[in-house]
Amino acid sequence: MVTRKRAVAAYAITATLIRGADAGVVVGVVLLATSSPETAPVAGLLAACLTAPHLAGPLVAPVLGRAKRPIALLAAAFVLYALFVAVAALAFTAGWLVLAAVALAAAGGCGPLFTGGLSSQLPRLVNREQTTQRRAQGLDALTYGVGAAFGPLIIAVATAVLTPLAGVLGAAAAALVGAAVLMTLPPLGSAAGGAGRRDAGASVRRNVALLFTSGPLRRVTVCTSVAAVAVGAVPILAVATVSVHEWGGRDAAALLAAAFGAGTLAGSLAVTVRPLRGAPEHAVTWAASGVSAALAVCALAPSREVAAIGFALVGICGSLQFASSLAARSEYSPPEARAQVFMTMAGLKVACSSVGVAVAGTAVTNAPLVVLGGAVATVAVAFGAAVIDRRASRRRENAIAVSS
C-alpha cells in the first residue's frame, strides 16, 4: 500500500517534471524557430499554439470529472503531450510548418490537465486536516515555481550544448517520465461519484458560472486573473525597469528576472514549511496589494539592488497569492465542481497572463514607464475590486439578516 507521504512525493515529482517540461517547451519552440532567420517570424505564432488552448479548460474538465481513473487519464494526457511535442519539433525541422502548428495546438490542449487538472487531485492524496491541505497546496505552488524556473533554464542549456531540437525532445521525454511516476500513485475514483459522472457533461455552464456567482470564488477569480496580467509580464517589466532607470542592457534585466524567480521559489517554500492560516480569499486579496506595492518599489527604485529586492518581493507575494488561490479553489468549490473550478481558473490566469505579455511587449520599447505604471495600477485595481466586492456582499448579507 502506497503511504500518503510517498504518494505526495510522487505527485511533487510528477508535477515538477510536467510543469517544467511545459514551461521549457515554450522556450524551446521559440529557440527552435529563431534559430533560422527564415522561420523567426513564426516564433510567436508557435508559442501561441501552445498557450491559447488553455482556454479550453472548462471543456476538458468534465472529462476529468467523469473519469473512473483520473490518474490514468492524466498520465495518458502527459504521454499525448510528449508525442505531440515531438511530432511538432520534428515536423518544424523538416519544414512542415502547418503540421507543427497543429501538433503544438494539440499539445496545448493537454495543458489544462497539467495545471488545474493535476492540482484538483492533490487534496485527495492527503488527509482533510486544514493545515495538511494548506501545506500540500504550498508544495503544489512550489512545483510550479521550480518548473517555471528550471524548465526553461535546462532547455536553454540543452540548446546551447546540443541543438534546439534536442532541447524540445528532452522536454518531451521529461513529460513521459512524469507520466510514469504519476502511475505509481494509488488509484483515485471519481471525486463526484456516480451522480457526478452523470451530471458532469451537462454542468459545464453551471460550474463555470459558479466562479462568478459564489462571492469568495468570484473575488479570487477576478483578483488572481487581473493580477496575472502584470505578474505574467514580469520579464518584460524587468526590461522596462532597466530602460526607465537607464541601468544598462540585458544583464541588468536578467538580474531582476532572476530575483523574481528566487522570490517565487522562496515564497512557495515558505508556505510549504509554514502553511497559510485564515480565509484563503483574504490572503489572495492582500497578496495582490503586496504585488502592487512591490511593483511600485521597482518603478521608483534608486538602484538595481533595490529594484532586485522589489522583484523578489513580487515573486514572494505572487507565490503566496497562488498558494492561497489553490486553497480557495479547494475549499470554496463543491467536490463535483472542483476539477471544473481548478481548470477554468487556471485557464483564465493563462489567458490574462498572455494578454499582459502581449500588451507590455508592444509598449515596452516606446513607453517603459507607462508599462510599469500600468502594471502597478492593474494589480491595485484587482485588490480594490476584491475589497469593494467583499464589503458589498457583507452589506447585502446584513440587510438580508435584518429583514428576516
Side-chain angles (χ1 to χ4, degrees), residues 315-384:
I316 291 171
C317 293
S319 63
L320 296 180
Q321 185 186 61
F322 180 63
S324 301
S325 74
L326 292 175
R329 298 179 214 183
S330 180
E331 295 178 21
Y332 299 142
S333 58
E336 68 274 8
R338 184 169 293 151
Q340 193 88 59
V341 168
F342 266 86
M343 295 172 72
T344 302
M345 198 179 292
L348 287 173
K349 281 189 62 179
V350 171
C352 289
S353 178
S354 298
V355 170
V357 170
V359 173
T362 301
V364 68
T365 301
N366 298 321
L369 185 59
V370 172
V371 169
L372 284 173
V376 174
T378 298
V379 186
V381 166
F383 167 73

Short mmCIF file of all heavy atoms in Angstrom, two decimals, residues 315-384:
data_model
loop_
_atom_site.label_atom_id
_atom_site.label_comp_id
_atom_site.label_asym_id
_atom_site.label_seq_id
_atom_site.Cartn_x
_atom_site.Cartn_y
_atom_site.Cartn_z
N GLY A 315 7.80 38.26 -6.52
CA GLY A 315 7.77 36.80 -6.58
C GLY A 315 7.22 36.18 -5.32
O GLY A 315 6.41 35.24 -5.37
N ILE A 316 7.63 36.70 -4.16
CA ILE A 316 7.13 36.16 -2.89
C ILE A 316 5.63 36.35 -2.77
O ILE A 316 4.89 35.41 -2.46
CB ILE A 316 7.86 36.83 -1.71
CG1 ILE A 316 9.33 36.39 -1.68
CG2 ILE A 316 7.18 36.50 -0.39
CD1 ILE A 316 10.17 37.17 -0.68
N CYS A 317 5.17 37.57 -3.01
CA CYS A 317 3.73 37.85 -2.90
C CYS A 317 2.93 37.08 -3.94
O CYS A 317 1.82 36.60 -3.66
CB CYS A 317 3.47 39.35 -3.04
SG CYS A 317 4.13 40.35 -1.69
N GLY A 318 3.49 36.95 -5.14
CA GLY A 318 2.80 36.19 -6.18
C GLY A 318 2.65 34.73 -5.82
O GLY A 318 1.60 34.12 -6.05
N SER A 319 3.68 34.15 -5.21
CA SER A 319 3.60 32.74 -4.81
C SER A 319 2.62 32.56 -3.66
O SER A 319 1.89 31.56 -3.60
CB SER A 319 4.98 32.20 -4.44
OG SER A 319 5.51 32.89 -3.33
N LEU A 320 2.57 33.52 -2.73
CA LEU A 320 1.60 33.47 -1.64
C LEU A 320 0.18 33.54 -2.20
O LEU A 320 -0.73 32.82 -1.75
CB LEU A 320 1.84 34.61 -0.65
CG LEU A 320 3.17 34.60 0.10
CD1 LEU A 320 3.25 35.80 1.05
CD2 LEU A 320 3.34 33.31 0.89
N GLN A 321 -0.02 34.42 -3.18
CA GLN A 321 -1.34 34.53 -3.78
C GLN A 321 -1.73 33.25 -4.49
O GLN A 321 -2.88 32.80 -4.40
CB GLN A 321 -1.39 35.70 -4.77
CG GLN A 321 -2.79 35.94 -5.31
CD GLN A 321 -2.84 37.00 -6.39
OE1 GLN A 321 -2.20 36.85 -7.43
NE2 GLN A 321 -3.59 38.05 -6.15
N PHE A 322 -0.77 32.65 -5.18
CA PHE A 322 -1.08 31.43 -5.92
C PHE A 322 -1.44 30.29 -4.98
O PHE A 322 -2.42 29.57 -5.19
CB PHE A 322 0.11 31.03 -6.79
CG PHE A 322 -0.14 29.78 -7.59
CD1 PHE A 322 -1.14 29.74 -8.54
CD2 PHE A 322 0.61 28.64 -7.38
CE1 PHE A 322 -1.38 28.59 -9.27
CE2 PHE A 322 0.38 27.49 -8.10
CZ PHE A 322 -0.62 27.46 -9.05
N ALA A 323 -0.65 30.11 -3.91
CA ALA A 323 -0.96 29.06 -2.94
C ALA A 323 -2.33 29.29 -2.30
O ALA A 323 -3.10 28.35 -2.09
CB ALA A 323 0.13 28.99 -1.87
N SER A 324 -2.63 30.55 -2.02
CA SER A 324 -3.94 30.87 -1.43
C SER A 324 -5.07 30.60 -2.41
O SER A 324 -6.15 30.16 -2.01
CB SER A 324 -3.96 32.34 -1.00
OG SER A 324 -2.95 32.62 -0.06
N SER A 325 -4.81 30.86 -3.70
CA SER A 325 -5.86 30.61 -4.69
C SER A 325 -6.13 29.11 -4.83
O SER A 325 -7.28 28.70 -5.05
CB SER A 325 -5.48 31.21 -6.05
OG SER A 325 -4.47 30.45 -6.69
N LEU A 326 -5.09 28.29 -4.69
CA LEU A 326 -5.30 26.84 -4.71
C LEU A 326 -6.17 26.41 -3.53
O LEU A 326 -7.08 25.58 -3.67
CB LEU A 326 -3.96 26.11 -4.66
CG LEU A 326 -3.05 26.22 -5.89
CD1 LEU A 326 -1.72 25.53 -5.62
CD2 LEU A 326 -3.71 25.63 -7.11
N ALA A 327 -5.89 26.99 -2.35
CA ALA A 327 -6.70 26.68 -1.18
C ALA A 327 -8.14 27.14 -1.39
O ALA A 327 -9.09 26.44 -1.01
CB ALA A 327 -6.10 27.35 0.06
N ALA A 328 -8.31 28.31 -1.99
CA ALA A 328 -9.66 28.83 -2.22
C ALA A 328 -10.44 27.94 -3.19
O ALA A 328 -11.62 27.65 -2.97
CB ALA A 328 -9.57 30.25 -2.79
N ARG A 329 -9.79 27.50 -4.26
CA ARG A 329 -10.47 26.62 -5.21
C ARG A 329 -10.92 25.33 -4.53
O ARG A 329 -12.02 24.83 -4.79
CB ARG A 329 -9.53 26.28 -6.37
CG ARG A 329 -9.07 27.46 -7.18
CD ARG A 329 -8.11 27.01 -8.28
NE ARG A 329 -7.08 28.01 -8.56
CZ ARG A 329 -6.17 27.89 -9.51
NH1 ARG A 329 -6.13 26.81 -10.26
NH2 ARG A 329 -5.26 28.84 -9.69
N SER A 330 -10.08 24.81 -3.66
CA SER A 330 -10.40 23.54 -2.99
C SER A 330 -11.48 23.71 -1.94
O SER A 330 -12.40 22.89 -1.83
CB SER A 330 -9.13 22.98 -2.35
OG SER A 330 -9.39 21.76 -1.69
N GLU A 331 -11.41 24.81 -1.17
CA GLU A 331 -12.31 24.97 -0.03
C GLU A 331 -13.65 25.60 -0.40
O GLU A 331 -14.65 25.38 0.29
CB GLU A 331 -11.63 25.81 1.05
CG GLU A 331 -10.40 25.13 1.65
CD GLU A 331 -9.70 25.97 2.69
OE1 GLU A 331 -10.34 26.89 3.25
OE2 GLU A 331 -8.51 25.70 2.96
N TYR A 332 -13.71 26.38 -1.48
CA TYR A 332 -14.94 27.07 -1.82
C TYR A 332 -15.75 26.38 -2.92
O TYR A 332 -16.86 26.82 -3.22
CB TYR A 332 -14.65 28.51 -2.26
CG TYR A 332 -14.00 29.37 -1.20
CD1 TYR A 332 -13.02 30.30 -1.53
CD2 TYR A 332 -14.36 29.25 0.14
CE1 TYR A 332 -12.42 31.10 -0.56
CE2 TYR A 332 -13.76 30.04 1.11
CZ TYR A 332 -12.80 30.96 0.75
OH TYR A 332 -12.21 31.75 1.71
N SER A 333 -15.20 25.35 -3.54
CA SER A 333 -15.93 24.68 -4.62
C SER A 333 -16.45 23.34 -4.13
O SER A 333 -15.75 22.63 -3.39
CB SER A 333 -15.03 24.48 -5.84
OG SER A 333 -13.89 23.72 -5.50
N PRO A 334 -17.66 22.95 -4.55
CA PRO A 334 -18.18 21.62 -4.17
C PRO A 334 -17.38 20.54 -4.87
O PRO A 334 -16.79 20.76 -5.94
CB PRO A 334 -19.63 21.67 -4.68
CG PRO A 334 -19.64 22.71 -5.74
CD PRO A 334 -18.61 23.73 -5.35
N PRO A 335 -17.31 19.32 -4.29
CA PRO A 335 -16.48 18.25 -4.86
C PRO A 335 -16.78 17.97 -6.33
O PRO A 335 -15.86 17.75 -7.12
CB PRO A 335 -16.82 17.04 -3.98
CG PRO A 335 -17.23 17.63 -2.67
CD PRO A 335 -17.94 18.90 -3.01
N GLU A 336 -18.06 17.99 -6.71
CA GLU A 336 -18.40 17.64 -8.09
C GLU A 336 -17.97 18.72 -9.08
O GLU A 336 -17.91 18.47 -10.29
CB GLU A 336 -19.90 17.39 -8.21
CG GLU A 336 -20.80 18.61 -8.03
CD GLU A 336 -21.14 18.88 -6.57
OE1 GLU A 336 -20.53 18.21 -5.69
OE2 GLU A 336 -21.97 19.76 -6.32
N ALA A 337 -17.68 19.93 -8.59
CA ALA A 337 -17.28 21.01 -9.48
C ALA A 337 -15.80 21.35 -9.34
O ALA A 337 -15.32 22.27 -10.00
CB ALA A 337 -18.12 22.27 -9.18
N ARG A 338 -15.07 20.62 -8.50
CA ARG A 338 -13.70 21.02 -8.18
C ARG A 338 -12.79 21.04 -9.41
O ARG A 338 -12.05 22.01 -9.63
CB ARG A 338 -13.12 20.07 -7.12
CG ARG A 338 -11.72 20.47 -6.65
CD ARG A 338 -11.32 19.67 -5.43
NE ARG A 338 -12.16 20.03 -4.29
CZ ARG A 338 -12.45 19.21 -3.30
NH1 ARG A 338 -11.99 17.98 -3.32
NH2 ARG A 338 -13.19 19.61 -2.29
N ALA A 339 -12.83 19.99 -10.21
CA ALA A 339 -11.97 19.97 -11.41
C ALA A 339 -12.32 21.11 -12.34
O ALA A 339 -11.42 21.76 -12.91
CB ALA A 339 -12.11 18.63 -12.13
N GLN A 340 -13.63 21.38 -12.50
CA GLN A 340 -14.06 22.49 -13.36
C GLN A 340 -13.52 23.81 -12.85
O GLN A 340 -13.01 24.64 -13.61
CB GLN A 340 -15.59 22.53 -13.39
CG GLN A 340 -16.14 23.42 -14.49
CD GLN A 340 -16.30 22.68 -15.77
OE1 GLN A 340 -17.01 21.70 -15.84
NE2 GLN A 340 -15.64 23.14 -16.82
N VAL A 341 -13.65 24.04 -11.55
CA VAL A 341 -13.19 25.29 -10.96
C VAL A 341 -11.67 25.43 -11.09
O VAL A 341 -11.16 26.49 -11.50
CB VAL A 341 -13.61 25.36 -9.47
CG1 VAL A 341 -12.91 26.51 -8.76
CG2 VAL A 341 -15.13 25.53 -9.36
N PHE A 342 -10.94 24.39 -10.77
CA PHE A 342 -9.48 24.44 -10.86
C PHE A 342 -9.04 24.76 -12.29
O PHE A 342 -8.19 25.64 -12.52
CB PHE A 342 -8.88 23.10 -10.44
CG PHE A 342 -8.48 23.03 -8.99
CD1 PHE A 342 -9.40 22.69 -8.02
CD2 PHE A 342 -7.19 23.30 -8.60
CE1 PHE A 342 -9.04 22.63 -6.68
CE2 PHE A 342 -6.81 23.24 -7.26
CZ PHE A 342 -7.74 22.90 -6.30
N MET A 343 -9.60 24.05 -13.26
CA MET A 343 -9.11 24.18 -14.64
C MET A 343 -9.58 25.47 -15.29
O MET A 343 -8.85 26.07 -16.08
CB MET A 343 -9.55 22.95 -15.44
CG MET A 343 -8.90 21.67 -14.92
SD MET A 343 -9.53 20.15 -15.66
CE MET A 343 -8.84 20.28 -17.30
N THR A 344 -10.80 25.91 -14.97
CA THR A 344 -11.28 27.16 -15.54
C THR A 344 -10.49 28.35 -15.01
O THR A 344 -10.08 29.23 -15.77
CB THR A 344 -12.77 27.35 -15.24
OG1 THR A 344 -13.51 26.25 -15.74
CG2 THR A 344 -13.29 28.63 -15.88
N MET A 345 -10.26 28.37 -13.70
CA MET A 345 -9.50 29.47 -13.12
C MET A 345 -8.06 29.47 -13.66
O MET A 345 -7.50 30.54 -13.96
CB MET A 345 -9.50 29.37 -11.60
CG MET A 345 -9.10 30.67 -10.92
SD MET A 345 -9.14 30.59 -9.10
CE MET A 345 -10.89 30.41 -8.82
N ALA A 346 -7.48 28.30 -13.82
CA ALA A 346 -6.13 28.22 -14.38
C ALA A 346 -6.10 28.73 -15.82
O ALA A 346 -5.18 29.47 -16.20
CB ALA A 346 -5.63 26.78 -14.33
N GLY A 347 -7.11 28.36 -16.60
CA GLY A 347 -7.17 28.83 -17.99
C GLY A 347 -7.31 30.34 -18.08
O GLY A 347 -6.67 30.99 -18.93
N LEU A 348 -8.13 30.92 -17.20
CA LEU A 348 -8.30 32.37 -17.20
C LEU A 348 -6.99 33.07 -16.84
O LEU A 348 -6.65 34.10 -17.42
CB LEU A 348 -9.40 32.77 -16.21
CG LEU A 348 -10.83 32.45 -16.62
CD1 LEU A 348 -11.80 32.73 -15.47
CD2 LEU A 348 -11.23 33.25 -17.85
N LYS A 349 -6.26 32.50 -15.88
CA LYS A 349 -4.98 33.10 -15.50
C LYS A 349 -3.98 33.07 -16.66
O LYS A 349 -3.29 34.05 -16.91
CB LYS A 349 -4.40 32.37 -14.30
CG LYS A 349 -5.01 32.74 -12.96
CD LYS A 349 -4.22 32.14 -11.82
CE LYS A 349 -2.80 32.65 -11.78
NZ LYS A 349 -2.01 32.09 -10.67
N VAL A 350 -3.92 31.94 -17.36
CA VAL A 350 -3.01 31.84 -18.50
C VAL A 350 -3.39 32.84 -19.58
O VAL A 350 -2.52 33.51 -20.16
CB VAL A 350 -3.01 30.40 -19.06
CG1 VAL A 350 -2.24 30.34 -20.37
CG2 VAL A 350 -2.40 29.43 -18.06
N ALA A 351 -4.70 32.97 -19.84
CA ALA A 351 -5.16 33.90 -20.86
C ALA A 351 -4.81 35.34 -20.48
O ALA A 351 -4.31 36.11 -21.31
CB ALA A 351 -6.66 33.75 -21.06
N CYS A 352 -5.07 35.71 -19.23
CA CYS A 352 -4.76 37.08 -18.78
C CYS A 352 -3.26 37.33 -18.79
O CYS A 352 -2.81 38.43 -19.13
CB CYS A 352 -5.34 37.30 -17.40
SG CYS A 352 -7.15 37.40 -17.36
N SER A 353 -2.49 36.33 -18.42
CA SER A 353 -1.05 36.47 -18.46
C SER A 353 -0.56 36.70 -19.89
O SER A 353 0.32 37.54 -20.13
CB SER A 353 -0.39 35.21 -17.89
OG SER A 353 1.01 35.29 -17.94
N SER A 354 -1.15 35.98 -20.83
CA SER A 354 -0.77 36.15 -22.25
C SER A 354 -1.11 37.56 -22.74
O SER A 354 -0.34 38.17 -23.49
CB SER A 354 -1.50 35.11 -23.10
OG SER A 354 -1.12 33.81 -22.73
N VAL A 355 -2.26 38.07 -22.30
CA VAL A 355 -2.65 39.44 -22.66
C VAL A 355 -1.63 40.43 -22.10
O VAL A 355 -1.21 41.37 -22.80
CB VAL A 355 -4.06 39.77 -22.13
CG1 VAL A 355 -4.36 41.26 -22.27
CG2 VAL A 355 -5.10 38.96 -22.88
N GLY A 356 -1.23 40.23 -20.85
CA GLY A 356 -0.25 41.12 -20.25
C GLY A 356 1.08 41.11 -20.99
O GLY A 356 1.68 42.17 -21.21
N VAL A 357 1.53 39.92 -21.37
CA VAL A 357 2.78 39.81 -22.12
C VAL A 357 2.67 40.53 -23.46
O VAL A 357 3.58 41.26 -23.86
CB VAL A 357 3.15 38.33 -22.34
CG1 VAL A 357 4.30 38.20 -23.32
CG2 VAL A 357 3.50 37.67 -21.01
N ALA A 358 1.54 40.33 -24.15
CA ALA A 358 1.36 40.96 -25.46
C ALA A 358 1.34 42.48 -25.36
O ALA A 358 2.01 43.18 -26.14
CB ALA A 358 0.07 40.44 -26.10
N VAL A 359 0.59 43.00 -24.42
CA VAL A 359 0.47 44.46 -24.28
C VAL A 359 1.79 45.07 -23.83
O VAL A 359 2.27 46.07 -24.40
CB VAL A 359 -0.66 44.82 -23.28
CG1 VAL A 359 -0.67 46.32 -23.01
CG2 VAL A 359 -2.01 44.37 -23.83
N ALA A 360 2.39 44.48 -22.80
CA ALA A 360 3.65 45.02 -22.29
C ALA A 360 4.76 44.91 -23.34
O ALA A 360 5.57 45.84 -23.49
CB ALA A 360 4.06 44.28 -21.01
N GLY A 361 4.79 43.80 -24.06
CA GLY A 361 5.80 43.62 -25.08
C GLY A 361 5.68 44.62 -26.21
O GLY A 361 6.69 45.06 -26.78
N THR A 362 4.46 45.03 -26.51
CA THR A 362 4.23 46.00 -27.58
C THR A 362 4.67 47.41 -27.17
O THR A 362 5.21 48.16 -27.98
CB THR A 362 2.74 46.03 -27.96
OG1 THR A 362 2.36 44.73 -28.40
CG2 THR A 362 2.48 47.03 -29.08
N ALA A 363 4.48 47.76 -25.89
CA ALA A 363 4.70 49.13 -25.45
C ALA A 363 6.04 49.36 -24.76
O ALA A 363 6.41 50.51 -24.53
CB ALA A 363 3.57 49.56 -24.52
N VAL A 364 6.75 48.29 -24.41
CA VAL A 364 7.93 48.46 -23.55
C VAL A 364 9.03 49.28 -24.20
O VAL A 364 9.74 50.03 -23.51
CB VAL A 364 8.47 47.08 -23.13
CG1 VAL A 364 9.08 46.33 -24.32
CG2 VAL A 364 9.49 47.22 -22.01
N THR A 365 9.17 49.22 -25.50
CA THR A 365 10.26 49.95 -26.17
C THR A 365 10.02 51.45 -26.14
O THR A 365 10.92 52.24 -25.85
CB THR A 365 10.41 49.47 -27.62
OG1 THR A 365 10.70 48.07 -27.62
CG2 THR A 365 11.55 50.22 -28.30
N ASN A 366 8.78 51.86 -26.44
CA ASN A 366 8.47 53.28 -26.56
C ASN A 366 7.99 53.92 -25.27
O ASN A 366 8.12 55.14 -25.10
CB ASN A 366 7.42 53.49 -27.66
CG ASN A 366 7.91 53.04 -29.02
OD1 ASN A 366 9.08 53.25 -29.36
ND2 ASN A 366 7.05 52.42 -29.81
N ALA A 367 7.39 53.14 -24.40
CA ALA A 367 6.81 53.72 -23.18
C ALA A 367 7.04 52.82 -21.97
O ALA A 367 6.09 52.31 -21.38
CB ALA A 367 5.31 53.98 -23.39
N PRO A 368 8.29 52.61 -21.58
CA PRO A 368 8.56 51.70 -20.45
C PRO A 368 7.94 52.17 -19.14
O PRO A 368 7.48 51.36 -18.33
CB PRO A 368 10.09 51.67 -20.37
CG PRO A 368 10.54 52.92 -21.04
CD PRO A 368 9.54 53.18 -22.11
N LEU A 369 7.91 53.49 -18.91
CA LEU A 369 7.33 53.99 -17.67
C LEU A 369 5.83 53.74 -17.63
O LEU A 369 5.27 53.41 -16.56
CB LEU A 369 7.62 55.49 -17.52
CG LEU A 369 7.17 56.14 -16.20
CD1 LEU A 369 7.84 55.44 -15.02
CD2 LEU A 369 7.49 57.63 -16.20
N VAL A 370 5.18 53.86 -18.78
CA VAL A 370 3.74 53.58 -18.86
C VAL A 370 3.48 52.10 -18.56
O VAL A 370 2.50 51.75 -17.88
CB VAL A 370 3.19 53.95 -20.24
CG1 VAL A 370 1.74 53.49 -20.40
CG2 VAL A 370 3.28 55.46 -20.46
N VAL A 371 4.35 51.24 -19.06
CA VAL A 371 4.22 49.80 -18.80
C VAL A 371 4.31 49.52 -17.31
O VAL A 371 3.48 48.78 -16.74
CB VAL A 371 5.29 49.01 -19.58
CG1 VAL A 371 5.32 47.56 -19.12
CG2 VAL A 371 5.01 49.08 -21.08
N LEU A 372 5.29 50.11 -16.63
CA LEU A 372 5.44 49.90 -15.20
C LEU A 372 4.25 50.46 -14.42
O LEU A 372 3.70 49.80 -13.53
CB LEU A 372 6.74 50.54 -14.70
CG LEU A 372 8.04 49.81 -15.02
CD1 LEU A 372 9.23 50.66 -14.61
CD2 LEU A 372 8.08 48.46 -14.31
N GLY A 373 3.88 51.69 -14.75
CA GLY A 373 2.74 52.31 -14.07
C GLY A 373 1.46 51.53 -14.31
O GLY A 373 0.64 51.37 -13.39
N GLY A 374 1.30 51.02 -15.53
CA GLY A 374 0.10 50.23 -15.83
C GLY A 374 0.06 48.94 -15.04
O GLY A 374 -1.01 48.50 -14.59
N ALA A 375 1.24 48.32 -14.84
CA ALA A 375 1.29 47.08 -14.05
C ALA A 375 0.90 47.34 -12.61
O ALA A 375 0.12 46.59 -12.00
CB ALA A 375 2.69 46.47 -14.13
N VAL A 376 1.45 48.42 -12.02
CA VAL A 376 1.10 48.77 -10.64
C VAL A 376 -0.40 49.02 -10.52
O VAL A 376 -1.07 48.52 -9.61
CB VAL A 376 1.89 50.01 -10.18
CG1 VAL A 376 1.42 50.47 -8.81
CG2 VAL A 376 3.38 49.71 -10.16
N ALA A 377 -0.94 49.81 -11.46
CA ALA A 377 -2.36 50.17 -11.40
C ALA A 377 -3.25 48.95 -11.61
O ALA A 377 -4.30 48.82 -10.96
CB ALA A 377 -2.65 51.23 -12.46
N THR A 378 -2.85 48.05 -12.50
CA THR A 378 -3.67 46.88 -12.79
C THR A 378 -3.85 46.01 -11.55
O THR A 378 -4.97 45.59 -11.21
CB THR A 378 -3.03 46.05 -13.92
OG1 THR A 378 -2.99 46.83 -15.11
CG2 THR A 378 -3.84 44.79 -14.18
N VAL A 379 -2.75 45.74 -10.85
CA VAL A 379 -2.85 44.90 -9.65
C VAL A 379 -3.58 45.65 -8.54
O VAL A 379 -4.33 45.05 -7.75
CB VAL A 379 -1.46 44.44 -9.19
CG1 VAL A 379 -1.59 43.46 -8.03
CG2 VAL A 379 -0.71 43.78 -10.33
N ALA A 380 -3.38 46.96 -8.46
CA ALA A 380 -4.11 47.75 -7.46
C ALA A 380 -5.61 47.70 -7.70
O ALA A 380 -6.40 47.63 -6.76
CB ALA A 380 -3.61 49.20 -7.47
N VAL A 381 -6.00 47.73 -8.97
CA VAL A 381 -7.42 47.62 -9.32
C VAL A 381 -7.96 46.26 -8.90
O VAL A 381 -9.08 46.14 -8.39
CB VAL A 381 -7.62 47.85 -10.83
CG1 VAL A 381 -9.02 47.40 -11.27
CG2 VAL A 381 -7.42 49.32 -11.17
N ALA A 382 -7.16 45.21 -9.10
CA ALA A 382 -7.59 43.87 -8.69
C ALA A 382 -7.84 43.83 -7.18
O ALA A 382 -8.84 43.27 -6.71
CB ALA A 382 -6.53 42.83 -9.08
N PHE A 383 -6.91 44.41 -6.42
CA PHE A 383 -7.06 44.47 -4.96
C PHE A 383 -8.30 45.27 -4.58
O PHE A 383 -9.13 44.84 -3.77
CB PHE A 383 -5.81 45.09 -4.34
CG PHE A 383 -5.97 45.48 -2.91
CD1 PHE A 383 -6.03 44.52 -1.91
CD2 PHE A 383 -6.06 46.82 -2.54
CE1 PHE A 383 -6.18 44.88 -0.57
CE2 PHE A 383 -6.21 47.19 -1.22
CZ PHE A 383 -6.27 46.22 -0.23
N GLY A 384 -8.46 46.45 -5.17
CA GLY A 384 -9.59 47.31 -4.84
C GLY A 384 -10.92 46.68 -5.18
O GLY A 384 -11.89 46.78 -4.41
#
